[in-house]
Amino acid sequence: MKKRLNGLAWLLASVGFVIGLYGLYQRFTLGHRMADYGSYIPWGLWVAAYIYFIGLSAGSFLLSTLVYVARIERLEKIGKLSLFTAFACLVGALISIWLDLGHEFRVYRVVLHPNFRSMMSWMGILYSSYFLIILVELWFAMRVDLIAAGRGQGASAALARVVALGSTDTSDSAVERDRRILKVLGSIGVPLAIAFHGGVGALFGVVGARTYWHSGLTPIAFLVGALASGGALLAAIVYVWGPDRDGPAFEDMMRFLGKVVLAIVLLDLLLEVSEFFVGLYSEIPDEAIPIRAVLFGSRWYVFWVVHIFFGVLVPVWLLFRNAVLRRTGEGGRAAGAVALAGFLVAVTFMAVRLNIVIPAQINPEIAGLEYAFTGPGLKYTYLPTLGEWLVTVWVSSFSVLLFLVGYKLLPIVGRDDREVA
Amino acid sequence: MAFMDIEPQEIRRRMTEDLRRALAKPMNERHWVMVLDLAKCVGCTACTTACVAENHLPPGVVYRPVIEREIGRYPNVRKTFMPRPCMQCDNPPCVKVCPAHATWKRPDGIVEIDYDKCIGCRYCINACPYSARTFDKGFYYSDGTPYIPDYEKKPAFEYGRTWPRRNRHDSPAGNARKCTFCLHRIDKGLLPACVTTCLGDATYFGDSNDPDSLVSRLIASPRVMRLKAEFGTRPSTYYLV
Ligand code: SF4
Ligand code: SF4
């Protein structure tokens, strides 16, 4: 089963990668003319995909800190896996937002000439630091395994030798030192991950012109969403690629992950309900119109079917039955059910991100502006073009492939713990 | 009202004199403002067209749309017209959010963009409460036809610089663009293009730091209003309602 899922992931990601290339080709030949966003709705699918991936990354990173900082033993063996997942998602997020820029090759300006009053500049700085922390943390987490893997033969061993950067010390004191370093890095990582993902929320929250975003709850909702989607993704990944599968310890760990995800998904729902009720009650158009569009607009199914049904109700039911009610050893299906629930939450979370980005922009800031002058991009409707979807398919496939290749070549899960390899 | 004692043909001469006087001062001692008299705007959109021609604006980029609104209830209805340039806010949200320092406030009150620094993230477009910025995607009016005539590729002269449009990636394509109060004309002692073309004499321009300027008298009027003042943006564009 897991072998098949692994194969399916390879297949889908490869197909997506190839098909998506056409979107990239369009993006680089037609520029932004191929996209449907414009002047009145300046941010579209790629921005939504960016916050989606960044959320997944922050979420799984924060879970990795449970291993390296809080030392939760049950999760011990998935530390590297969650770090690497965070890395693959971060890369996807950065590519997505990079392609969204009108002048993508000037992106260095954000880091070299930052404007400290702009949340976006802070993102540039925080991402760079986060990127580095993940890389260094991963290296220390894998160091001993890399040295062991480097002793073998073949491409994987050769790569391990290169990545090990000449380190050879596997003594107990060195391992202990790795642990201490990981604890420090992980501890720096926690506020960093909170800062940058809360910061992404603030990037939207500070925009006074868009009442739908302009709420103190926005950064918090982003964080909780990150934990929900990132944790859920990790539950699905651990099931297929995790260590120690099928043992009782594995099931125990999956049920623990399931409970964590269940709690956060419900908390996220609570925040959402609160935002919507408060926004609708006062009927201030700038806020109520976007909310109405989300709930009852022409694309109501994105919220009700994709998010609420497949992203909340079904997973909550699955998690409640399998992670909360079922005891260990009562049939081996609990782990699979938790993984399926995680997968559903993680994938459908894209609907949440789209419903954050797009609806806030559909309301003319000055009534009548939509009729005042016409031209491409001067409109208040937005539907991603095929090319935009293809780019996002490519970015997602690229991240998945990055994960799969890394998983195959690097000792992200200890050799003995593997099944698929 | 007091300013009505000026003959229509006098208005432009008077504003040109105001402009020359302001230009003689150091930059930080003048503050450019625009005043739009909604009672006089006839909704002809001559200003919109003049702006497109002056700045060589491509499709999808607009600096000064005129918004039409119907007020009252049938049969007692009336139309109002409201031109909407960039407000050149004194506290501009678009400047605050720009991650690349590509946009800033000049001492004379105009919010300037350096298209060579702008990364095209469009954060400023979202942050502007007036939708005053538009995204230049690099379109031509003759897209879809076999030939793109040279006049479509004419450079823009915004902010007193030359921005050649050799291809679809050259700035200002890929950037956020907005009304500049025709800074390139002002610097030469000319009124903004929208002001000179306004048929209804509804658009005024000048230095609000000069107590004798025409605009200084206009913005002392009780009819004065600033759009979305509650945002704290302190616009340099005033409306007489
Ligand atoms: S009107 Fe908009 S673009 Fe112009 S200065 Fe104000 S915030 Fe910036
Ligand atoms: S689009 Fe350009 S001017 Fe606007 S915020 Fe981004 S970098 Fe600054």
Side-chain angles (χ1 to χ4, degrees):
Chain A
M1 177 69 177
K2 287 159 188 174
K3 233 176 193 146
R4 250 189 285 151
L5 287 176
N6 179 53
L8 190 66
W10 272 99
L11 179 73
L12 287 179
S14 314
V15 171
F17 184 89
V18 174
I19 298 179
L21 281 177
Y22 185 68
L24 274 196
Y25 165 77
Q26 277 201 325
R27 166 65 184 79
F28 281 106
T29 49
L30 297 177
H32 296 264
R33 283 172 292 139
M34 57 93 90
D36 196 45
Y37 53 73
S39 296
Y40 293 159
I41 299 195
W43 287 348
L45 176 66
W46 297 339
V47 173
Y50 150 72
I51 58 172
Y52 171 66
F53 282 119
I54 220 60
L56 291 178
S57 178
S60 51
F61 179 84
L62 285 170
L63 278 183
S64 82
T65 60
L66 290 181
V67 178
Y68 297 117
V69 182
R71 294 268 167 88
I72 295 195
E73 262 176 34
R74 280 196 260 214
L75 302 180
E76 182 78 55
K77 288 189 171 172
I78 60 167
K80 284 177 283 182
L81 195 61
S82 47
L83 273 180
F84 195 68
T85 306
F87 174 73
C89 293
L90 174 65
V91 171
L94 294 180
I95 299 180
S96 191
I97 200 63
W98 179 68
L99 288 172
D100 186 70
L101 295 182
H103 281 276
E104 60 274 13
F105 296 111
R106 289 185 196 157
V107 64
Y108 66 92
R109 290 199 61 88
V110 177
V111 181
L112 290 192
H113 307 272
N115 166 15
F116 292 112
R117 293 199 303 167
S118 168
M119 284 315 297
M120 205 180 274
S121 290
W122 280 105
M123 292 302 101
I125 297 163
L126 293 170
Y127 286 150
S128 317
S129 331
Y130 175 63
F131 200 94
L132 275 181
I133 286 230
I134 290 196
L135 283 185
V136 178
E137 237 191 272
L138 257 178
W139 189 80
F140 277 105
M142 292 193 306
R143 198 185 62 90
V144 174
D145 303 318
L146 281 172
I147 296 168
R151 295 205 186 100
Q153 288 188 342
S156 189
L159 181 75
R161 278 195 294 276
V162 175
V163 179
L165 302 175
S167 169
T168 52
D169 189 356
T170 54
S171 64
D172 285 350
S173 64
V175 172
E176 191 44 42
R177 185 206 55 189
D178 287 357
R179 269 192 196 213
R180 275 201 310 276
I181 293 181
L182 281 170
K183 182 158 186 170
V184 173
L185 288 176
S187 312
I188 301 175
V190 176
L192 195 63
I194 292 176
F196 87 73
H197 201 63
V200 182
L203 191 151
F204 291 88
V206 297
V207 179
R210 307 287 188 188
T211 317
Y212 179 65
W213 292 335
H214 188 49
S215 152
L217 218 51
T218 307
I220 310 294
F222 267 64
L223 273 181
V224 174
L227 283 168
S229 59
L233 176 70
L234 210 59
I237 285 184
V238 167
Y239 180 69
V240 185
W241 292 281
D244 265 359
R245 273 153 314 206
D246 298 334
F250 177 72
E251 210 191 307
D252 194 39
M253 177 174 72
M254 286 300 288
R255 290 194 16 235
F256 177 72
L257 276 177
K259 279 184 216 157
V260 172
V261 172
L262 176 63
I264 306 173
V265 166
L266 290 176
L267 177 60
D268 193 58
L269 185 69
L270 178 69
L271 290 180
E272 215 165 30
V273 169
S274 146
E275 282 272 25
F276 284 2
F277 269 129
V278 171
L280 277 182
Y281 184 86
S282 47
E283 304 228 28
I284 295 172
D286 280 355
E287 191 163 12
I289 289 174
I291 295 177
R292 271 214 192 92
V294 169
L295 299 182
F296 319 113
S298 61
R299 283 190 264 293
W300 57 273
Y301 50 86
V302 175
F303 180 80
W304 292 108
V305 180
V306 182
H307 171 50
I308 292 296
F309 187 73
F310 286 109
V312 178
L313 292 181
V314 175
V316 162
W317 181 74
L318 281 172
L319 291 171
F320 192 72
R321 283 203 45 167
N322 293 285
V324 180
L325 293 182
R326 202 185 287 231
R327 299 271 150 257
T328 318
E330 284 179 31
R333 281 227 283 275
V338 169
L340 175 64
F343 178 76
L344 283 176
V345 173
V347 170
T348 57
F349 221 77
M350 184 65 190
V352 177
R353 299 314 194 190
L354 275 169
N355 271 339
I356 289 174
V357 175
I358 315 299
Q361 308 171 78
I362 59 169
N363 198 24
E365 284 174 309
I366 298 173
L369 198 56
E370 65 271 45
Y371 309 115
F373 195 81
T374 55
L378 299 177
K379 61 189 175 68
Y380 284 93
T381 54
Y382 171 73
L383 190 64
T385 59
L386 181 65
E388 281 176 86
W389 282 114
L390 285 177
V391 167
T392 297
V393 164
W394 186 85
V395 172
S396 320
S397 307
F398 181 83
S399 299
V400 177
L401 283 178
L402 183 67
F403 173 83
L404 291 173
V405 171
Y407 180 83
K408 209 167 169 58
L409 296 181
L410 295 169
I412 286 162
V413 167
R415 281 261 163 245
D416 322 329
D417 297 329
R418 289 192 185 211
E419 187 186 75
V420 185
Chain B
M1 295 205 76
F3 53 87
M4 287 303 189
D5 52 12
I6 307 172
E7 294 294 319
Q9 63 271 31
E10 272 288 285
I11 293 176
R12 280 192 189 82
R13 198 184 58 75
R14 171 82 189 271
M15 286 195 293
T16 311
E17 270 170 22
D18 290 352
L19 185 73
R20 299 254 154 88
R21 229 176 22 256
L23 281 173
K25 296 193 287 188
M27 198 203 276
N28 57 358
E29 282 173 28
R30 54 182 186 245
H31 189 100
W32 299 121
V33 301
M34 193 172 274
V35 183
L36 295 153
D37 190 338
L38 298 189
K40 290 168 92 183
C41 175
V42 294
C44 65
T45 68
C47 55
T48 313
T49 312
C51 174
V52 169
E54 173 72 29
N55 294 299
H56 303 160
L57 298 181
V61 177
V62 61
Y63 290 173
R64 192 184 158 100
V66 178
I67 296 154
E68 269 187 53
R69 265 189 285 201
E70 232 171 57
I71 47 174
R73 229 182 133 140
Y74 180 82
N76 301 316
V77 286
R78 191 156 74 88
K79 269 207 166 161
T80 62
F81 308 98
M82 187 180 76
R84 197 265 14 237
C86 166
M87 305 286 129
Q88 315 291 358
C89 309
D90 257 348
N91 181 23
C94 59
V95 167
K96 222 183 203 166
V97 300
C98 176
H101 274 308
T103 180
W104 66 90
K105 175 114 202 140
R106 289 161 45 109
D108 60 1
I110 291 179
V111 172
E112 177 162 354
I113 307 173
D114 185 338
Y115 293 138
D116 279 340
K117 291 182 177 165
C118 167
I119 62 172
C121 65
R122 316 190 290 289
Y123 200 1
C124 56
I125 302 184
N126 254 331
C128 169
Y130 308 96
S131 287
R133 293 191 167 200
T134 49
F135 183 44
D136 185 342
K137 286 189 176 183
F139 281 109
Y140 291 119
Y141 291 96
S142 45
D143 276 336
T145 69
Y147 171 68
I148 292 161
D150 283 342
Y151 64 78
E152 289 240 43
K153 299 183 181 173
K154 282 257 161 33
F157 298 103
E158 291 169 21
Y159 309 107
R161 288 174 60 181
T162 306
W163 305 93
R165 207 176 175 87
R166 283 175 300 251
N167 58 52
R168 294 179 193 263
H169 314 294
D170 270 350
S171 280
N175 296 132
R177 304 181 64 175
K178 69 167 191 72
C179 156
T180 71
F181 274 3
C182 277
L183 205 59
H184 57 289
R185 289 174 59 102
I186 305 176
D187 284 346
K188 300 255 170 344
L190 298 168
L191 290 166
C194 52
V195 178
T196 53
T197 44
C198 180
L199 302 189
D201 280 330
T203 297
Y204 299 84
F205 183 80
D207 172 19
S208 66
N209 275 2
D210 176 355
D212 299 327
S213 68
L214 188 54
V215 289
S216 286
R217 289 177 61 192
L218 291 175
I219 60 180
S221 155
R223 288 170 56 207
V224 106
M225 183 274 286
R226 290 199 281 187
L227 219 52
K228 296 198 178 183
E230 67 277 17
F231 278 79
T233 46
R234 301 203 299 277
S236 303
T237 296
Y238 295 80
Y239 291 91
L240 298 177
V241 290

